[in-house]
Amino acid sequence: MLNQSARAAATGAAALLPLLLTGCLVEGSGSAVSRGTLSGDILGSGATFPDPLFQQWMSYYNTSIETGTSIDYQAIGSGEGIEQFLAQEVDFGSSERYLQASELLVAREVRGCEAVQFPVVFGAVVIALNDPALDGLILDSEVIAGIYDRRVTRYDDPAIAELNPDLDLPGREIVPVHRSDGSGTTYVFTSYLANEVGFWAEEYAGGTDIDWHDDTVGGDGNDGVAQAVGASPGGLGYVNQSYALRNGLATARVVNEDGTPIEPTLAATTAASEEAEIPDDFQFSIDDIGGDGYPITGANWVLAYECGYNNDTADVLRDFWAWALTDAEADRFASDLGYAPMGRGLKERVLTEIQRINSS
């Protein structure tokens, strides 16, 4: 543990890291005044949850910040992304869950050094609906679990009607859509249900891969779930908020820990993220959210290594993620797509962690 003076020094140094890394001075608009020249081709893979944001960040960085770089990201799902990261097939991974102890051990054995993992953004997992007339439908954890366990099969079920006394509910069958691939979005969604609903914890638990009820529909990636919801009368599925926005899907309000139905807005996602207690190892969940917070909120972690990169690759990895966390334009991209950028204090802690990349 750092003492108070040492921690203050580390925090101050972290605030200067984006400047020290590449000699860059960045205006409030995010445009570079002067900057060093980096070069290198970087490949990452993993979660579809942050993919819209990652693609915007990487395109802007490659074309406007460091034009000698090429950063590519393949959205293949958190599960497969972790597998490729541990198999050393990519330069970095991405997931909506942090690496477990067994995976950290594998990383150490295959690479010969520690893995580095840090959060970069928060986002809401929304309940997307096929029917625009149902936008703002109120659901709680018991009803959502019941829908996916097929205990609740119609929109006019008494449990839904009780939550929505002023809404004329259709007598239509609900078609629940889930992720068919190993998914961090599934991890956030099912961990929320396991934390809130007793029978879900016993029968399904939380994880990236779930043994779903036979009468549910699978979709590949957030895009696949959004498309299946949009194509299925009565469709209902869980996706990252940006995918619901991009596909023009209605979304439900979800009752949080204080009994308040919360719309999945950027402000509600930010409110939930601010309730999270984040330890020094950045291994955390966002549970029991009340107040103005949206209750199904998750973080995205980036995975890298303390060793094994050539200097060009390591420089680009450190600089890109430092830029993504400190540049005003990067934050604007996140907000426009419905993601919640991290607060200043957490960013400073993460910037220090980023410096562990290739430090051994």
Side-chain angles (χ1 to χ4, degrees):
M1 297 292 291
L2 294 175
N3 61 34
Q4 187 171 1
S5 60
R7 188 176 298 276
T11 298
L16 296 174
L17 285 176
L19 308 183
L20 297 176
L21 286 174
T22 56
C24 146
L25 295 175
V26 180
E27 295 177 333
S29 65
S31 59
V33 178
S34 64
R35 196 173 175 93
T37 300
L38 297 179
S39 63
D41 296 334
I42 308 300
L43 176 62
S45 70
T48 65
F49 179 92
D51 185 51
L53 177 59
F54 280 12
Q55 296 303 333
Q56 188 128 27
W57 275 352
M58 291 170 187
S59 174
Y60 186 84
Y61 183 86
N62 291 337
T63 59
S64 301
I65 303 299
E66 289 290 351
T67 59
T69 66
S70 174
I71 307 176
D72 185 30
Y73 180 73
Q74 299 175 356
I76 57 176
S78 291
E80 193 169 347
I82 289 173
E83 289 182 9
Q84 290 193 356
F85 172 73
L86 293 177
Q88 303 184 80
E89 296 173 0
V90 292
D91 298 305
F92 70 92
S94 164
S95 174
E96 270 71 74
R97 71 163 177 83
Y98 52 82
L99 295 176
Q100 309 297 313
S102 59
E103 293 163 332
L104 291 170
L105 178 60
V106 170
R108 190 181 310 120
E109 290 177 345
V110 300
R111 191 78 164 197
C113 62
E114 301 294 331
V116 180
Q117 55 182 338
F118 49 86
V120 291
V121 74
F122 296 99
V125 176
V126 307
I127 307 301
L129 306 160
N130 171 277
D131 187 352
L134 293 176
D135 192 42
L137 179 75
I138 298 174
L139 301 174
D140 62 16
S141 56
E142 288 281 349
V143 168
I144 296 169
I147 288 170
Y148 277 90
D149 189 51
R150 306 310 285 144
R151 303 181 186 200
V152 176
T153 60
R154 292 164 56 95
Y155 282 100
D156 60 357
D157 184 281
I160 298 179
E162 184 177 353
L163 292 168
N164 299 271
D166 300 325
L167 192 60
D168 185 17
L169 296 169
R172 185 182 302 127
E173 182 179 359
I174 302 173
V175 180
V177 184
H178 61 80
R179 288 284 291 273
S180 56
D181 54 328
S183 158
T185 307
T186 295
Y187 178 82
V188 173
F189 176 68
T190 58
S191 295
Y192 159 74
L193 292 180
N195 183 65
E196 297 286 333
V197 182
F199 83 79
W200 189 274
E202 293 177 4
E203 298 180 26
Y204 295 93
T208 55
D209 293 284
I210 299 295
D211 186 14
W212 297 100
H213 193 284
D214 289 341
D215 294 333
T216 58
V217 176
D220 190 17
N222 273 285
D223 261 329
V225 172
Q227 291 167 12
V229 169
S232 305
L236 176 152
Y238 60 90
V239 294
N240 173 265
Q241 184 180 26
S242 62
Y243 289 86
L245 292 170
R246 191 164 68 184
N247 288 274
L249 297 172
T251 57
R253 288 179 286 168
V254 180
V255 178
N256 71 9
E257 193 73 8
D258 289 340
T260 306
I262 301 293
E263 182 182 355
T265 63
L266 177 60
T269 303
T270 300
S273 70
E274 289 174 346
E275 289 198 27
E277 295 185 8
I278 301 177
D280 291 342
D281 61 9
F282 299 109
Q283 298 182 14
F284 64 95
S285 299
I286 306 175
D287 295 325
D288 304 319
I289 299 303
D292 296 324
Y294 179 76
I296 319 178
T297 295
N300 177 259
W301 282 262
V302 167
L303 318 174
Y305 287 105
E306 278 192 338
C307 67
Y309 300 107
N310 64 48
N311 289 337
D312 286 346
T313 298
D315 287 345
V316 175
L317 277 174
R318 288 191 297 262
D319 186 73
F320 171 73
W321 291 114
W323 169 83
L325 292 180
T326 58
D327 189 78
E329 192 78 353
D331 273 359
R332 184 181 68 80
F333 290 148
S335 298
D336 287 349
L337 289 169
Y339 298 89
M342 296 185 299
R344 181 175 179 178
L346 179 57
K347 283 182 176 182
E348 290 174 349
R349 292 171 58 191
V350 172
L351 286 168
T352 299
E353 192 73 4
I354 288 170
Q355 291 311 290
R356 289 180 54 204
I357 296 174
N358 220 42
S359 61
S360 294

